[in-house]
Amino acid sequence: MPTVEVADLKDDDCLLDVREDDEWQAGHAAGALHIPLSDFVARYGELTEAAPQDGRVHVICRSGGRSAQVTMYLVQQGVDAVNVDGGMQVWAASGRPVVDGKGEPGHVL
């Protein structure tokens, strides 16, 4: 499983959040693309439109389980994708900004 640490992410990296809507609304990384795991296959085209042509997709969820599933799917599709180790829990614990659905300070569910 290709994996990356939160500390290794840069601000301009493509970040795909696969958590569900309630989790996203409570708190997410600003600038992340949100496609819930439950809708992922149906909305796959949104990722292909938003992701950088030759760039890497960094997949994140709450702790790493759901994002691991999506990362494996993307790799099978030929996408350069990596799972963000520890997910949004580590993101928040590392002091990275978390915003809610209104752009205000948020929290990780």
Side-chain angles (χ1 to χ4, degrees):
M1 165 69 58
T3 304
V4 67
E5 302 291 325
V6 168
D8 296 329
L9 292 172
K10 298 178 198 73
D11 289 341
D12 61 345
D13 284 338
C14 177
L15 187 63
L16 170 64
D17 190 324
V18 297
R19 296 174 304 141
E20 295 304 316
D21 289 334
D22 61 330
E23 295 171 288
W24 171 266
Q25 290 299 325
H28 58 271
L33 173 63
H34 179 229
I35 305 176
L37 176 61
S38 60
D39 296 338
F40 189 75
V41 174
R43 293 176 55 190
Y44 179 71
E46 292 177 40
L47 173 64
T48 59
E49 289 178 16
Q53 286 290 75
D54 295 321
R56 174 171 281 175
V57 176
H58 301 81
V59 188
I60 197 165
C61 67
R62 182 174 186 263
S63 60
R66 290 172 285 179
S67 55
Q69 293 175 14
V70 171
T71 299
M72 290 306 295
Y73 175 81
L74 291 173
V75 168
Q76 291 170 351
Q77 304 305 310
V79 175
D80 181 7
V82 293
N83 189 28
V84 178
D85 192 39
M88 286 299 298
Q89 290 178 319
V90 171
W91 178 278
S94 300
R96 296 272 187 136
V98 176
V99 297
D100 67 13
K102 297 177 183 174
E104 301 294 323
H107 65 279
V108 177
L109 284 183

